Amino acid sequence: MITKKSILVIVLFSSISLCFSQNTVSRQQAKDDIDYYSKTVLDSHYSPFLFISQKQYNTEVDKIKNKLPDQLSLKEMTLVMYQVSALLQDAHSNPGISQSFMKEDFSKPIFFPLLLVSDHEKLYSSANTGQIPAGSAILSINGQDIESLFQNMKKNIGGTSQFRDIISLKLFSYFLYLENITAPFSVKYKLPEGDIREITINEGMKFRDFLALSMPGIAKPYDFKIINHKLAYLDFRSMSGNMDDFDKFLSETFSTIRKENIKDLAIDLRNNSGGNSILGDLLLSYITDQKYSLQGSKRWKISQIYKDKLIADHNTESEYLKMENGTVWETGNCKPDFNKFKNDPVFKGKVYVLTGPFTFSSANLVADGMKQYKLAELVGEPTGEYTNDFGEAFMFTLPNSKIQMRSTSSMSFGADCNTSSYTPVVPDILIVPTLQDKINGIDKPLEYILKAVKTNKETN
């Protein structure tokens, strides 16, 4: 069973029971924590030096260590660990977002409350921002240059460039918080006409409220509507929900589609950063009865720390526990198979899948499998993850700072079984939004689908 988890689902609001009152670490304690992280990764990660040589990794880590001050706050230490883990370019390996020392702050309305858009270099207000005119370039917040901060945010996150860009926007208020930029906010911006203005935003948002804006799947993992009486639109935002609840939702959804005689279905994965891929199989059972696969094979690094994780999760029947530490265990045979879930009848109309840079982890598997086996026409932007990428993440705690880190233990290979390919899922119809599209909230990929549906109706 594939249980690949997303960067966000595992760590956003996991319960942390540590009692930890220390609010600083010394330079030596920070160095020891970095070394502990590096050793843990070396022991448990399937291929830590796939995108960087071990020599270059050690060189870059030494540079980070040499710049450490005598004392670091826990926020500073968290940022240091983002720098270290980003060297691996594994978007699943990073500090947990919810750390024990942050718990009190997360309950306060101190986080930057506005959603911004980017041209990959600068940040801009959008039509949905509200307090700042749409299209204004954000110059600084509380005196800090935002363009340089945004570029540093992206450098401190692993993964593809498109994923680093989008996750930096979605977690923008969080990274501002780590830089001690909290409410009240003095925002300097440049209007599209060129004038420079400044506004004060006295109160921010609680962190979870901001995430509900930037990642709607947290509040509502899936939704459905019929657009223009012609297109069934399934907004699949998260694969971390309850399977029985999702099955009930799907049953009701496809019952409505049959009742309304809808022949075109769009599945939107653009806000889906993953979860449990079994939900992807469940969805596909309503769409196809042919053989398919969401991944070709998987290779696991066997380590004691991951065995301890399985035992702690009461997963004592896992074959993994029988393997020798330090070895590699391969599963999967690169062959498609019938879905273990069965639904009759399946949807026989035209299926579209919307993808983008936040289509990640298990959602990326779904997009890859559907494209490989021609189960849908993919529309939008490339996904935020390679079809061959790391997974089976687990958490561990650094000994001095008590910061919770995440690493991975496996490599999943794409549905095409090409073990040497490192590319995202590229849609059949590539539509990349312009900056003005982002500012004005124009959804060109969905517009394309609606136009195609209308054309097909008129033709038939």
Side-chain angles (χ1 to χ4, degrees):
M1 181 178 71
I2 304 167
T3 56
K4 193 176 183 186
K5 301 293 181 178
S6 78
I7 186 175
L8 303 169
V9 171
I10 285 184
V11 297
L12 271 180
F13 297 107
S14 55
S15 176
I16 300 174
S17 59
L18 295 170
C19 295
F20 186 61
S21 58
Q22 179 181 338
N23 53 22
T24 63
V25 290
S26 68
R27 179 195 292 139
Q28 187 58 52
Q29 287 176 317
K31 288 182 178 179
D32 291 344
D33 274 3
I34 293 171
D35 290 342
Y36 181 87
Y37 170 79
S38 297
K39 183 181 184 305
T40 300
V41 166
L42 192 62
D43 289 344
S44 58
H45 199 286
Y46 168 73
S47 184
F49 306 117
L50 179 63
F51 300 116
I52 185 173
S53 69
Q54 187 167 3
K55 180 179 179 181
Q56 185 62 27
Y57 174 82
N58 291 335
T59 298
E60 295 300 321
V61 167
D62 284 343
K63 289 179 183 178
I64 294 171
K65 288 180 179 179
N66 291 336
K67 292 180 181 179
L68 294 173
D70 290 339
Q71 292 285 327
L72 294 84
S73 70
L74 294 183
K75 284 185 183 179
E76 291 172 326
M77 185 62 192
T78 302
L79 285 170
V80 165
M81 294 312 302
Y82 268 106
Q83 292 179 51
V84 172
S85 57
L87 294 172
L88 302 177
Q89 288 305 304
D90 174 359
H92 294 82
S93 295
N94 35 57
I97 292 176
S98 181
Q99 301 289 340
S100 59
F101 73 87
M102 301 174 182
K103 183 177 180 181
E104 184 176 344
D105 285 342
F106 275 14
S107 66
K108 300 175 182 177
I110 61 173
F111 291 85
F112 189 70
L114 307 182
L115 290 176
L116 304 175
V117 297
S118 85
D119 61 1
H120 310 295
E121 298 295 331
K122 298 179 181 180
L123 299 182
Y124 299 84
S125 58
S126 72
N128 297 321
T129 303
Q131 301 185 52
I132 300 173
S136 299
I138 309 301
L139 303 178
S140 67
I141 301 177
N142 291 2
Q144 297 295 310
D145 180 77
I146 288 305
E147 184 176 348
S148 60
L149 272 178
F150 182 58
Q151 296 308 314
N152 282 334
M153 289 175 190
K154 293 197 290 185
K155 289 179 183 176
N156 291 342
I157 297 172
T160 65
S161 59
Q162 58 266 35
F163 180 77
R164 295 199 304 269
D165 194 84
I166 192 69
I167 196 63
S168 295
L169 287 172
K170 289 183 175 292
L171 292 178
F172 183 68
S173 69
Y174 173 75
F175 286 112
L176 288 184
Y177 161 76
L178 291 180
E179 297 283 356
N180 289 316
I181 300 175
T182 55
F185 301 100
S186 176
V187 183
K188 185 179 289 187
Y189 59 93
K190 186 177 182 179
L191 292 168
E193 299 81 13
D195 293 342
I196 294 178
R197 304 280 178 84
E198 192 163 350
I199 185 175
T200 297
I201 302 172
N202 288 311
E203 187 168 287
M205 299 180 75
K206 294 180 180 179
F207 185 52
R208 188 178 185 108
D209 293 337
F210 176 81
L211 287 179
L213 282 178
S214 68
M215 301 178 195
I218 291 175
K220 195 171 186 180
Y222 34 80
D223 202 0
F224 171 74
K225 63 182 177 180
I226 295 175
I227 303 176
N228 298 338
H229 306 288
K230 297 176 181 177
L231 178 68
Y233 175 77
L234 199 168
D235 195 358
F236 192 14
R237 302 167 182 153
S238 174
M239 299 173 69
S240 298
N242 177 275
M243 189 171 70
D244 291 337
D245 291 342
F246 187 50
D247 192 24
K248 180 181 178 183
F249 164 79
L250 290 174
S251 178
E252 293 172 352
T253 293
F254 283 92
S255 176
T256 300
I257 291 172
R258 288 191 296 272
K259 181 180 178 181
E260 299 295 326
N261 196 31
I262 302 296
K263 303 300 183 182
D264 295 272
L265 168 66
I267 300 169
D268 197 337
L269 297 178
R270 291 176 294 179
N271 279 305
N272 197 321
S273 64
N276 189 341
S277 65
I278 295 297
L279 270 65
D281 289 314
L282 188 56
L283 170 61
L284 289 179
S285 73
Y286 285 85
I287 294 171
T288 183
D289 50 13
Q290 73 178 62
K291 290 183 177 182
Y292 71 91
S293 176
L294 297 184
Q295 68 176 21
S297 64
K298 180 184 290 188
R299 296 173 187 169
W300 307 62
K301 175 71 173 291
I302 308 300
S303 67
Q304 189 57 49
I305 192 169
Y306 194 72
K307 287 179 178 179
D308 293 342
K309 181 258 186 192
L310 291 174
I311 294 170
D313 290 344
H314 306 291
N315 193 357
T316 57
E317 301 300 316
S318 173
E319 287 293 315
Y320 186 100
L321 297 173
K322 302 175 184 178
M323 305 296 168
E324 182 180 352
N325 290 346
T327 62
V328 172
W329 175 37
E330 184 163 5
T331 60
N333 58 13
C334 287
K335 293 180 180 179
D337 203 352
F338 289 113
N339 198 332
K340 69 177 182 179
F341 300 108
K342 304 294 181 184
N343 278 289
D344 187 25
V346 298
F347 179 73
K348 293 296 185 181
K350 172 77 173 183
V351 180
Y352 301 89
V353 171
L354 291 151
T355 62
F358 199 58
T359 306
F360 185 77
S361 195
S362 292
N364 193 64
L365 294 180
V366 172
D368 182 32
M370 293 188 77
K371 180 179 179 180
Q372 180 67 25
Y373 290 95
K374 304 186 186 308
L375 303 180
E377 180 177 358
L378 272 61
V379 180
E381 297 177 82
T383 61
E385 186 178 27
Y386 298 140
T387 55
N388 297 340
D389 213 345
F390 304 112
E392 303 302 340
F394 64 95
M395 304 295 295
F396 62 95
T397 304
L398 301 180
N400 296 308
S401 63
K402 306 303 179 186
I403 288 172
Q404 286 205 319
M405 298 296 299
R406 187 171 71 145
S407 187
T408 57
S409 61
S410 72
M411 168 69 81
S412 294
F413 296 100
D416 66 357
C417 293
N418 185 344
T419 59
S420 61
S421 173
Y422 292 96
T423 58
V425 181
V426 179
D428 303 297
I429 305 298
L430 183 63
I431 304 175
V432 179
T434 66
L435 177 61
Q436 285 304 312
D437 291 338
K438 297 176 185 177
I439 289 171
N440 296 319
I442 297 172
D443 192 342
K444 289 286 181 63
L446 185 56
E447 287 182 357
Y448 166 86
I449 294 174
L450 288 169
K451 184 177 180 180
V453 170
K454 181 179 179 182
T455 301
N456 292 339
K457 292 288 185 184
E458 292 174 349
T459 302
N460 297 330

